[in-house]
PDB file of all heavy atoms in Angstrom:
ATOM      1  N   GLN A   1       0.891  -1.201   0.037  1.00 95.00           N
ATOM      2  CA  GLN A   1      -0.022  -0.010  -0.062  1.00 95.00           C
ATOM      3  C   GLN A   1       0.879   1.216  -0.001  1.00 95.00           C
ATOM      4  O   GLN A   1       0.553   2.257  -0.622  1.00 95.00           O
ATOM      5  CB  GLN A   1      -0.965  -0.026   1.234  1.00 95.00           C
ATOM      6  CG  GLN A   1      -1.796  -1.219   1.394  1.00 95.00           C
ATOM      7  CD  GLN A   1      -2.897  -1.394   0.348  1.00 95.00           C
ATOM      8  OE1 GLN A   1      -2.753  -1.112  -0.733  1.00 95.00           O
ATOM      9  NE2 GLN A   1      -4.032  -1.899   0.915  1.00 95.00           N
ATOM     10  N   ALA A   2       1.955   1.207   0.708  1.00 95.00           N
ATOM     11  CA  ALA A   2       2.916   2.383   0.787  1.00 95.00           C
ATOM     12  C   ALA A   2       3.470   2.635  -0.699  1.00 95.00           C
ATOM     13  O   ALA A   2       3.597   3.840  -1.032  1.00 95.00           O
ATOM     14  CB  ALA A   2       3.973   2.109   1.761  1.00 95.00           C
ATOM     15  N   MET A   3       3.819   1.538  -1.303  1.00 96.00           N
ATOM     16  CA  MET A   3       4.355   1.707  -2.774  1.00 96.00           C
ATOM     17  C   MET A   3       3.319   2.268  -3.664  1.00 96.00           C
ATOM     18  O   MET A   3       3.609   3.201  -4.454  1.00 96.00           O
ATOM     19  CB  MET A   3       4.779   0.378  -3.318  1.00 96.00           C
ATOM     20  CG  MET A   3       6.085  -0.270  -2.633  1.00 96.00           C
ATOM     21  SD  MET A   3       6.454  -1.890  -3.267  1.00 96.00           S
ATOM     22  CE  MET A   3       7.588  -2.437  -1.985  1.00 96.00           C
ATOM     23  N   HIS A   4       2.107   1.864  -3.511  1.00 96.00           N
ATOM     24  CA  HIS A   4       1.020   2.482  -4.231  1.00 96.00           C
ATOM     25  C   HIS A   4       0.836   3.916  -3.902  1.00 96.00           C
ATOM     26  O   HIS A   4       0.756   4.779  -4.916  1.00 96.00           O
ATOM     27  CB  HIS A   4      -0.363   1.730  -3.889  1.00 96.00           C
ATOM     28  CG  HIS A   4      -1.540   2.296  -4.481  1.00 96.00           C
ATOM     29  ND1 HIS A   4      -2.183   3.429  -3.900  1.00 96.00           N
ATOM     30  CD2 HIS A   4      -2.172   2.170  -5.682  1.00 96.00           C
ATOM     31  CE1 HIS A   4      -3.243   3.738  -4.662  1.00 96.00           C
ATOM     32  NE2 HIS A   4      -3.253   2.998  -5.749  1.00 96.00           N
ATOM     33  N   ASP A   5       0.808   4.301  -2.773  1.00 95.00           N
ATOM     34  CA  ASP A   5       0.646   5.710  -2.404  1.00 95.00           C
ATOM     35  C   ASP A   5       1.795   6.633  -2.758  1.00 95.00           C
ATOM     36  O   ASP A   5       1.564   7.670  -3.293  1.00 95.00           O
ATOM     37  CB  ASP A   5       0.277   5.733  -0.848  1.00 95.00           C
ATOM     38  CG  ASP A   5      -0.862   5.066  -0.414  1.00 95.00           C
ATOM     39  OD1 ASP A   5      -1.747   4.852  -1.259  1.00 95.00           O
ATOM     40  OD2 ASP A   5      -1.005   4.733   0.775  1.00 95.00           O
ATOM     41  N   VAL A   6       2.992   6.118  -2.620  1.00 96.00           N
ATOM     42  CA  VAL A   6       4.090   6.835  -3.076  1.00 96.00           C
ATOM     43  C   VAL A   6       4.051   7.053  -4.592  1.00 96.00           C
ATOM     44  O   VAL A   6       4.388   8.221  -5.078  1.00 96.00           O
ATOM     45  CB  VAL A   6       5.431   6.158  -2.733  1.00 96.00           C
ATOM     46  CG1 VAL A   6       6.581   6.852  -3.305  1.00 96.00           C
ATOM     47  CG2 VAL A   6       5.582   6.178  -1.210  1.00 96.00           C
ATOM     48  N   LEU A   7       3.607   6.090  -5.353  1.00 95.00           N
ATOM     49  CA  LEU A   7       3.663   6.130  -6.827  1.00 95.00           C
ATOM     50  C   LEU A   7       2.427   7.017  -7.363  1.00 95.00           C
ATOM     51  O   LEU A   7       2.551   7.739  -8.258  1.00 95.00           O
ATOM     52  CB  LEU A   7       3.589   4.751  -7.412  1.00 95.00           C
ATOM     53  CG  LEU A   7       4.864   3.991  -7.257  1.00 95.00           C
ATOM     54  CD1 LEU A   7       4.654   2.579  -7.688  1.00 95.00           C
ATOM     55  CD2 LEU A   7       5.957   4.580  -8.267  1.00 95.00           C
ATOM     56  N   TYR A   8       1.260   6.796  -6.632  1.00 94.00           N
ATOM     57  CA  TYR A   8       0.032   7.462  -7.262  1.00 94.00           C
ATOM     58  C   TYR A   8      -0.407   8.648  -6.483  1.00 94.00           C
ATOM     59  O   TYR A   8      -1.117   9.472  -7.047  1.00 94.00           O
ATOM     60  CB  TYR A   8      -0.988   6.408  -7.233  1.00 94.00           C
ATOM     61  CG  TYR A   8      -0.850   5.287  -8.252  1.00 94.00           C
ATOM     62  CD1 TYR A   8      -0.203   4.136  -7.912  1.00 94.00           C
ATOM     63  CD2 TYR A   8      -1.216   5.456  -9.667  1.00 94.00           C
ATOM     64  CE1 TYR A   8       0.028   3.097  -8.831  1.00 94.00           C
ATOM     65  CE2 TYR A   8      -0.909   4.497 -10.531  1.00 94.00           C
ATOM     66  CZ  TYR A   8      -0.291   3.305 -10.139  1.00 94.00           C
ATOM     67  OH  TYR A   8       0.023   2.298 -11.152  1.00 94.00           O
ATOM     68  N   HIS A   9      -0.114   8.843  -5.146  1.00 92.00           N
ATOM     69  CA  HIS A   9      -0.415   9.986  -4.355  1.00 92.00           C
ATOM     70  C   HIS A   9       0.677  10.949  -4.105  1.00 92.00           C
ATOM     71  O   HIS A   9       0.445  12.103  -3.794  1.00 92.00           O
ATOM     72  CB  HIS A   9      -1.186   9.508  -3.086  1.00 92.00           C
ATOM     73  CG  HIS A   9      -2.374   8.774  -3.217  1.00 92.00           C
ATOM     74  ND1 HIS A   9      -3.407   9.120  -4.191  1.00 92.00           N
ATOM     75  CD2 HIS A   9      -2.854   7.552  -2.765  1.00 92.00           C
ATOM     76  CE1 HIS A   9      -4.340   8.186  -4.098  1.00 92.00           C
ATOM     77  NE2 HIS A   9      -4.024   7.256  -3.228  1.00 92.00           N
ATOM     78  N   GLN A  10       1.833  10.447  -4.104  1.00 90.00           N
ATOM     79  CA  GLN A  10       3.192  11.226  -4.008  1.00 90.00           C
ATOM     80  C   GLN A  10       3.037  12.010  -2.721  1.00 90.00           C
ATOM     81  O   GLN A  10       3.207  11.513  -1.635  1.00 90.00           O
ATOM     82  CB  GLN A  10       3.363  12.087  -5.214  1.00 90.00           C
ATOM     83  CG  GLN A  10       3.545  11.124  -6.432  1.00 90.00           C
ATOM     84  CD  GLN A  10       3.701  11.908  -7.754  1.00 90.00           C
ATOM     85  OE1 GLN A  10       3.715  13.119  -7.825  1.00 90.00           O
ATOM     86  NE2 GLN A  10       3.915  11.233  -8.837  1.00 90.00           N
ATOM     87  N   TYR A  11       2.918  13.365  -2.853  1.00 89.00           N
ATOM     88  CA  TYR A  11       2.997  14.272  -1.684  1.00 89.00           C
ATOM     89  C   TYR A  11       1.727  14.484  -1.036  1.00 89.00           C
ATOM     90  O   TYR A  11       1.680  15.183   0.120  1.00 89.00           O
ATOM     91  CB  TYR A  11       3.638  15.631  -2.103  1.00 89.00           C
ATOM     92  CG  TYR A  11       4.900  15.551  -2.773  1.00 89.00           C
ATOM     93  CD1 TYR A  11       5.116  15.708  -4.107  1.00 89.00           C
ATOM     94  CD2 TYR A  11       6.080  15.299  -1.994  1.00 89.00           C
ATOM     95  CE1 TYR A  11       6.307  15.656  -4.747  1.00 89.00           C
ATOM     96  CE2 TYR A  11       7.286  15.212  -2.568  1.00 89.00           C
ATOM     97  CZ  TYR A  11       7.470  15.356  -4.027  1.00 89.00           C
ATOM     98  OH  TYR A  11       8.678  15.318  -4.591  1.00 89.00           O
ATOM     99  N   ASP A  12       0.592  13.932  -1.484  1.00 89.00           N
ATOM    100  CA  ASP A  12      -0.711  14.041  -0.806  1.00 89.00           C
ATOM    101  C   ASP A  12      -0.825  13.036   0.353  1.00 89.00           C
ATOM    102  O   ASP A  12      -1.521  12.027   0.136  1.00 89.00           O
ATOM    103  CB  ASP A  12      -1.800  13.907  -1.886  1.00 89.00           C
ATOM    104  CG  ASP A  12      -3.156  14.323  -1.250  1.00 89.00           C
ATOM    105  OD1 ASP A  12      -3.170  14.621  -0.100  1.00 89.00           O
ATOM    106  OD2 ASP A  12      -4.135  14.404  -2.086  1.00 89.00           O
ATOM    107  N   LEU A  13      -0.161  13.313   1.409  1.00 89.00           N
ATOM    108  CA  LEU A  13      -0.141  12.310   2.488  1.00 89.00           C
ATOM    109  C   LEU A  13      -1.538  11.973   3.045  1.00 89.00           C
ATOM    110  O   LEU A  13      -1.695  10.807   3.653  1.00 89.00           O
ATOM    111  CB  LEU A  13       0.725  12.808   3.612  1.00 89.00           C
ATOM    112  CG  LEU A  13       2.251  13.202   3.359  1.00 89.00           C
ATOM    113  CD1 LEU A  13       3.006  13.615   4.502  1.00 89.00           C
ATOM    114  CD2 LEU A  13       2.888  11.951   2.644  1.00 89.00           C
ATOM    115  N   GLN A  14      -2.487  12.834   2.983  1.00 90.00           N
ATOM    116  CA  GLN A  14      -3.813  12.572   3.497  1.00 90.00           C
ATOM    117  C   GLN A  14      -4.486  11.431   2.887  1.00 90.00           C
ATOM    118  O   GLN A  14      -5.380  10.796   3.393  1.00 90.00           O
ATOM    119  CB  GLN A  14      -4.692  13.864   3.537  1.00 90.00           C
ATOM    120  CG  GLN A  14      -4.114  15.030   4.310  1.00 90.00           C
ATOM    121  CD  GLN A  14      -3.702  14.653   5.722  1.00 90.00           C
ATOM    122  OE1 GLN A  14      -4.595  13.994   6.465  1.00 90.00           O
ATOM    123  NE2 GLN A  14      -2.522  14.961   6.162  1.00 90.00           N
ATOM    124  N   LYS A  15      -4.033  11.081   1.697  1.00 89.00           N
ATOM    125  CA  LYS A  15      -4.613   9.900   0.935  1.00 89.00           C
ATOM    126  C   LYS A  15      -3.949   8.662   1.209  1.00 89.00           C
ATOM    127  O   LYS A  15      -4.357   7.536   0.675  1.00 89.00           O
ATOM    128  CB  LYS A  15      -4.708  10.279  -0.558  1.00 89.00           C
ATOM    129  CG  LYS A  15      -5.605  11.288  -0.976  1.00 89.00           C
ATOM    130  CD  LYS A  15      -5.612  11.552  -2.405  1.00 89.00           C
ATOM    131  CE  LYS A  15      -6.524  12.684  -2.862  1.00 89.00           C
ATOM    132  NZ  LYS A  15      -6.614  12.890  -4.329  1.00 89.00           N
ATOM    133  N   TYR A  16      -2.821   8.639   2.000  1.00 92.00           N
ATOM    134  CA  TYR A  16      -2.158   7.388   2.265  1.00 92.00           C
ATOM    135  C   TYR A  16      -2.890   6.434   3.039  1.00 92.00           C
ATOM    136  O   TYR A  16      -3.636   6.766   3.986  1.00 92.00           O
ATOM    137  CB  TYR A  16      -0.829   7.742   2.923  1.00 92.00           C
ATOM    138  CG  TYR A  16       0.320   8.167   1.960  1.00 92.00           C
ATOM    139  CD1 TYR A  16       0.147   9.081   0.905  1.00 92.00           C
ATOM    140  CD2 TYR A  16       1.611   7.691   2.073  1.00 92.00           C
ATOM    141  CE1 TYR A  16       1.043   9.401   0.069  1.00 92.00           C
ATOM    142  CE2 TYR A  16       2.664   8.197   1.245  1.00 92.00           C
ATOM    143  CZ  TYR A  16       2.366   9.006   0.138  1.00 92.00           C
ATOM    144  OH  TYR A  16       3.310   9.354  -0.629  1.00 92.00           O
ATOM    145  N   ASP A  17      -2.834   5.181   2.652  1.00 90.00           N
ATOM    146  CA  ASP A  17      -3.632   4.061   3.307  1.00 90.00           C
ATOM    147  C   ASP A  17      -3.166   3.897   4.803  1.00 90.00           C
ATOM    148  O   ASP A  17      -4.155   3.591   5.557  1.00 90.00           O
ATOM    149  CB  ASP A  17      -3.410   2.784   2.501  1.00 90.00           C
ATOM    150  CG  ASP A  17      -4.189   1.673   2.973  1.00 90.00           C
ATOM    151  OD1 ASP A  17      -5.412   1.577   2.574  1.00 90.00           O
ATOM    152  OD2 ASP A  17      -3.740   0.838   3.840  1.00 90.00           O
ATOM    153  N   HIS A  18      -1.980   4.072   5.159  1.00 88.00           N
ATOM    154  CA  HIS A  18      -1.621   3.756   6.444  1.00 88.00           C
ATOM    155  C   HIS A  18      -2.301   4.688   7.539  1.00 88.00           C
ATOM    156  O   HIS A  18      -2.323   4.276   8.797  1.00 88.00           O
ATOM    157  CB  HIS A  18      -0.026   3.769   6.639  1.00 88.00           C
ATOM    158  CG  HIS A  18       0.465   5.209   6.615  1.00 88.00           C
ATOM    159  ND1 HIS A  18       0.691   5.862   5.407  1.00 88.00           N
ATOM    160  CD2 HIS A  18       0.997   5.843   7.589  1.00 88.00           C
ATOM    161  CE1 HIS A  18       1.145   6.988   5.687  1.00 88.00           C
ATOM    162  NE2 HIS A  18       1.417   7.049   7.001  1.00 88.00           N
ATOM    163  N   LEU A  19      -2.701   5.801   7.215  1.00 86.00           N
ATOM    164  CA  LEU A  19      -3.337   6.762   8.100  1.00 86.00           C
ATOM    165  C   LEU A  19      -4.670   6.244   8.554  1.00 86.00           C
ATOM    166  O   LEU A  19      -5.153   6.442   9.664  1.00 86.00           O
ATOM    167  CB  LEU A  19      -3.433   8.081   7.567  1.00 86.00           C
ATOM    168  CG  LEU A  19      -2.054   8.783   7.143  1.00 86.00           C
ATOM    169  CD1 LEU A  19      -2.334  10.166   6.548  1.00 86.00           C
ATOM    170  CD2 LEU A  19      -1.283   8.928   8.507  1.00 86.00           C
ATOM    171  N   ASP A  20      -5.379   5.449   7.569  1.00 86.00           N
ATOM    172  CA  ASP A  20      -6.675   4.843   7.969  1.00 86.00           C
ATOM    173  C   ASP A  20      -6.524   3.466   8.493  1.00 86.00           C
ATOM    174  O   ASP A  20      -7.288   2.947   9.322  1.00 86.00           O
ATOM    175  CB  ASP A  20      -7.566   4.958   6.762  1.00 86.00           C
ATOM    176  CG  ASP A  20      -7.915   6.235   6.282  1.00 86.00           C
ATOM    177  OD1 ASP A  20      -8.238   7.082   7.211  1.00 86.00           O
ATOM    178  OD2 ASP A  20      -7.981   6.535   5.122  1.00 86.00           O
ATOM    179  N   PHE A  21      -5.590   2.691   8.010  1.00 85.00           N
ATOM    180  CA  PHE A  21      -5.319   1.325   8.420  1.00 85.00           C
ATOM    181  C   PHE A  21      -3.852   1.172   8.717  1.00 85.00           C
ATOM    182  O   PHE A  21      -3.037   0.606   7.944  1.00 85.00           O
ATOM    183  CB  PHE A  21      -5.678   0.350   7.211  1.00 85.00           C
ATOM    184  CG  PHE A  21      -7.160   0.570   6.745  1.00 85.00           C
ATOM    185  CD1 PHE A  21      -7.458   1.398   5.691  1.00 85.00           C
ATOM    186  CD2 PHE A  21      -8.216  -0.031   7.459  1.00 85.00           C
ATOM    187  CE1 PHE A  21      -8.723   1.595   5.273  1.00 85.00           C
ATOM    188  CE2 PHE A  21      -9.511   0.111   7.010  1.00 85.00           C
ATOM    189  CZ  PHE A  21      -9.719   0.925   5.924  1.00 85.00           C
ATOM    190  N   PRO A  22      -3.465   1.640   9.982  1.00 85.00           N
ATOM    191  CA  PRO A  22      -2.046   1.574  10.398  1.00 85.00           C
ATOM    192  C   PRO A  22      -1.468   0.217  10.678  1.00 85.00           C
ATOM    193  O   PRO A  22      -0.294   0.032  10.669  1.00 85.00           O
ATOM    194  CB  PRO A  22      -2.113   2.407  11.657  1.00 85.00           C
ATOM    195  CG  PRO A  22      -3.392   2.227  12.188  1.00 85.00           C
ATOM    196  CD  PRO A  22      -4.372   2.141  11.039  1.00 85.00           C
ATOM    197  N   GLY A  23      -2.342  -0.818  10.725  1.00 82.00           N
ATOM    198  CA  GLY A  23      -1.822  -2.157  11.136  1.00 82.00           C
ATOM    199  C   GLY A  23      -1.484  -2.285  12.566  1.00 82.00           C
ATOM    200  O   GLY A  23      -1.636  -1.350  13.370  1.00 82.00           O
ATOM    201  N   VAL A  24      -1.031  -3.416  12.982  1.00 85.00           N
ATOM    202  CA  VAL A  24      -0.866  -3.766  14.336  1.00 85.00           C
ATOM    203  C   VAL A  24       0.399  -3.029  14.886  1.00 85.00           C
ATOM    204  O   VAL A  24       0.392  -2.453  15.931  1.00 85.00           O
ATOM    205  CB  VAL A  24      -0.582  -5.335  14.590  1.00 85.00           C
ATOM    206  CG1 VAL A  24      -0.276  -5.658  16.034  1.00 85.00           C
ATOM    207  CG2 VAL A  24      -1.858  -6.111  14.050  1.00 85.00           C
ATOM    208  N   VAL A  25       1.399  -3.033  14.053  1.00 88.00           N
ATOM    209  CA  VAL A  25       2.692  -2.238  14.460  1.00 88.00           C
ATOM    210  C   VAL A  25       3.106  -1.433  13.265  1.00 88.00           C
ATOM    211  O   VAL A  25       2.841  -1.848  12.036  1.00 88.00           O
ATOM    212  CB  VAL A  25       3.845  -3.222  14.838  1.00 88.00           C
ATOM    213  CG1 VAL A  25       3.539  -3.837  16.141  1.00 88.00           C
ATOM    214  CG2 VAL A  25       4.059  -4.233  13.858  1.00 88.00           C
ATOM    215  N   PRO A  26       3.733  -0.266  13.495  1.00 92.00           N
ATOM    216  CA  PRO A  26       4.173   0.551  12.314  1.00 92.00           C
ATOM    217  C   PRO A  26       5.392  -0.064  11.669  1.00 92.00           C
ATOM    218  O   PRO A  26       6.137  -0.801  12.298  1.00 92.00           O
ATOM    219  CB  PRO A  26       4.510   1.845  12.923  1.00 92.00           C
ATOM    220  CG  PRO A  26       4.886   1.518  14.401  1.00 92.00           C
ATOM    221  CD  PRO A  26       3.990   0.318  14.751  1.00 92.00           C
ATOM    222  N   ARG A  27       5.602   0.247  10.341  1.00 94.00           N
ATOM    223  CA  ARG A  27       6.680  -0.202   9.652  1.00 94.00           C
ATOM    224  C   ARG A  27       7.408   1.076   8.864  1.00 94.00           C
ATOM    225  O   ARG A  27       6.770   2.105   8.647  1.00 94.00           O
ATOM    226  CB  ARG A  27       6.345  -1.215   8.499  1.00 94.00           C
ATOM    227  CG  ARG A  27       5.817  -2.554   9.095  1.00 94.00           C
ATOM    228  CD  ARG A  27       7.016  -3.293   9.733  1.00 94.00           C
ATOM    229  NE  ARG A  27       6.519  -4.549  10.207  1.00 94.00           N
ATOM    230  CZ  ARG A  27       7.370  -5.412  10.892  1.00 94.00           C
ATOM    231  NH1 ARG A  27       8.598  -5.078  11.141  1.00 94.00           N
ATOM    232  NH2 ARG A  27       6.944  -6.559  11.305  1.00 94.00           N
ATOM    233  N   THR A  28       8.567   0.859   8.563  1.00 95.00           N
ATOM    234  CA  THR A  28       9.315   1.918   7.885  1.00 95.00           C
ATOM    235  C   THR A  28       8.949   2.050   6.442  1.00 95.00           C
ATOM    236  O   THR A  28       8.566   1.032   5.744  1.00 95.00           O
ATOM    237  CB  THR A  28      10.901   1.651   7.995  1.00 95.00           C
ATOM    238  OG1 THR A  28      11.529   2.743   7.349  1.00 95.00           O
ATOM    239  CG2 THR A  28      11.261   0.416   7.328  1.00 95.00           C
ATOM    240  N   PHE A  29       9.085   3.301   5.853  1.00 96.00           N
ATOM    241  CA  PHE A  29       8.765   3.563   4.618  1.00 96.00           C
ATOM    242  C   PHE A  29      10.000   3.459   3.696  1.00 96.00           C
ATOM    243  O   PHE A  29       9.874   3.670   2.393  1.00 96.00           O
ATOM    244  CB  PHE A  29       8.191   4.968   4.396  1.00 96.00           C
ATOM    245  CG  PHE A  29       6.708   5.020   4.637  1.00 96.00           C
ATOM    246  CD1 PHE A  29       6.206   5.170   5.992  1.00 96.00           C
ATOM    247  CD2 PHE A  29       5.748   4.970   3.599  1.00 96.00           C
ATOM    248  CE1 PHE A  29       4.899   5.289   6.125  1.00 96.00           C
ATOM    249  CE2 PHE A  29       4.449   5.071   3.872  1.00 96.00           C
ATOM    250  CZ  PHE A  29       3.968   5.136   5.139  1.00 96.00           C
ATOM    251  N   ILE A  30      11.140   3.304   4.317  1.00 97.00           N
ATOM    252  CA  ILE A  30      12.465   3.329   3.554  1.00 97.00           C
ATOM    253  C   ILE A  30      12.475   2.353   2.332  1.00 97.00           C
ATOM    254  O   ILE A  30      12.851   2.730   1.233  1.00 97.00           O
ATOM    255  CB  ILE A  30      13.684   3.191   4.496  1.00 97.00           C
ATOM    256  CG1 ILE A  30      13.744   4.293   5.416  1.00 97.00           C
ATOM    257  CG2 ILE A  30      14.915   2.952   3.664  1.00 97.00           C
ATOM    258  CD1 ILE A  30      14.817   4.120   6.514  1.00 97.00           C
ATOM    259  N   GLY A  31      12.147   1.121   2.514  1.00 96.00           N
ATOM    260  CA  GLY A  31      12.187   0.175   1.496  1.00 96.00           C
ATOM    261  C   GLY A  31      11.085   0.476   0.443  1.00 96.00           C
ATOM    262  O   GLY A  31      11.429   0.387  -0.735  1.00 96.00           O
ATOM    263  N   ALA A  32       9.921   0.915   0.840  1.00 96.00           N
ATOM    264  CA  ALA A  32       8.810   1.186  -0.158  1.00 96.00           C
ATOM    265  C   ALA A  32       9.197   2.395  -0.980  1.00 96.00           C
ATOM    266  O   ALA A  32       9.010   2.323  -2.238  1.00 96.00           O
ATOM    267  CB  ALA A  32       7.564   1.458   0.666  1.00 96.00           C
ATOM    268  N   ILE A  33       9.843   3.390  -0.386  1.00 96.00           N
ATOM    269  CA  ILE A  33      10.199   4.553  -1.219  1.00 96.00           C
ATOM    270  C   ILE A  33      11.300   4.200  -2.243  1.00 96.00           C
ATOM    271  O   ILE A  33      11.270   4.592  -3.382  1.00 96.00           O
ATOM    272  CB  ILE A  33      10.646   5.648  -0.302  1.00 96.00           C
ATOM    273  CG1 ILE A  33       9.369   6.211   0.472  1.00 96.00           C
ATOM    274  CG2 ILE A  33      11.275   6.760  -1.103  1.00 96.00           C
ATOM    275  CD1 ILE A  33       9.732   7.320   1.501  1.00 96.00           C
ATOM    276  N   PHE A  34      12.314   3.367  -1.765  1.00 97.00           N
ATOM    277  CA  PHE A  34      13.390   3.013  -2.612  1.00 97.00           C
ATOM    278  C   PHE A  34      12.942   2.233  -3.883  1.00 97.00           C
ATOM    279  O   PHE A  34      13.283   2.505  -4.918  1.00 97.00           O
ATOM    280  CB  PHE A  34      14.433   2.225  -1.834  1.00 97.00           C
ATOM    281  CG  PHE A  34      15.611   1.717  -2.595  1.00 97.00           C
ATOM    282  CD1 PHE A  34      16.533   2.714  -3.041  1.00 97.00           C
ATOM    283  CD2 PHE A  34      15.745   0.463  -2.884  1.00 97.00           C
ATOM    284  CE1 PHE A  34      17.652   2.272  -3.804  1.00 97.00           C
ATOM    285  CE2 PHE A  34      16.885  -0.083  -3.574  1.00 97.00           C
ATOM    286  CZ  PHE A  34      17.808   0.927  -4.030  1.00 97.00           C
ATOM    287  N   ILE A  35      12.037   1.313  -3.545  1.00 97.00           N
ATOM    288  CA  ILE A  35      11.535   0.418  -4.708  1.00 97.00           C
ATOM    289  C   ILE A  35      10.666   1.247  -5.559  1.00 97.00           C
ATOM    290  O   ILE A  35      10.681   1.078  -6.859  1.00 97.00           O
ATOM    291  CB  ILE A  35      10.824  -0.781  -4.136  1.00 97.00           C
ATOM    292  CG1 ILE A  35      11.816  -1.710  -3.354  1.00 97.00           C
ATOM    293  CG2 ILE A  35      10.098  -1.560  -5.195  1.00 97.00           C
ATOM    294  CD1 ILE A  35      11.211  -2.769  -2.637  1.00 97.00           C
ATOM    295  N   SER A  36       9.853   2.099  -4.953  1.00 96.00           N
ATOM    296  CA  SER A  36       8.955   2.973  -5.844  1.00 96.00           C
ATOM    297  C   SER A  36       9.762   3.924  -6.772  1.00 96.00           C
ATOM    298  O   SER A  36       9.326   4.147  -7.788  1.00 96.00           O
ATOM    299  CB  SER A  36       8.011   3.799  -4.890  1.00 96.00           C
ATOM    300  OG  SER A  36       7.247   2.962  -4.131  1.00 96.00           O
ATOM    301  N   CYS A  37      10.769   4.488  -6.212  1.00 96.00           N
ATOM    302  CA  CYS A  37      11.632   5.361  -7.043  1.00 96.00           C
ATOM    303  C   CYS A  37      12.140   4.597  -8.254  1.00 96.00           C
ATOM    304  O   CYS A  37      12.167   5.068  -9.468  1.00 96.00           O
ATOM    305  CB  CYS A  37      12.784   5.972  -6.240  1.00 96.00           C
ATOM    306  SG  CYS A  37      12.233   7.183  -5.018  1.00 96.00           S
ATOM    307  N   LEU A  38      12.664   3.344  -8.115  1.00 97.00           N
ATOM    308  CA  LEU A  38      13.135   2.594  -9.123  1.00 97.00           C
ATOM    309  C   LEU A  38      12.100   2.206 -10.209  1.00 97.00           C
ATOM    310  O   LEU A  38      12.305   2.063 -11.367  1.00 97.00           O
ATOM    311  CB  LEU A  38      13.883   1.305  -8.585  1.00 97.00           C
ATOM    312  CG  LEU A  38      15.174   1.504  -7.778  1.00 97.00           C
ATOM    313  CD1 LEU A  38      15.574   0.210  -7.211  1.00 97.00           C
ATOM    314  CD2 LEU A  38      16.152   2.319  -8.569  1.00 97.00           C
ATOM    315  N   ALA A  39      10.819   1.904  -9.606  1.00 96.00           N
ATOM    316  CA  ALA A  39       9.718   1.530 -10.501  1.00 96.00           C
ATOM    317  C   ALA A  39       9.044   2.643 -11.157  1.00 96.00           C
ATOM    318  O   ALA A  39       8.247   2.450 -12.041  1.00 96.00           O
ATOM    319  CB  ALA A  39       8.708   0.705  -9.615  1.00 96.00           C
TER     320      ALA A  39
END
């Protein structure tokens, strides 16, 4: 979901999925951003 949001919503953080569905524990965005930049 983070890769999707970085690619399709970019700087519009209010549309990011993790704000509505944070999950049990938080995770880092570092990997998602790195892969999204390459893709």
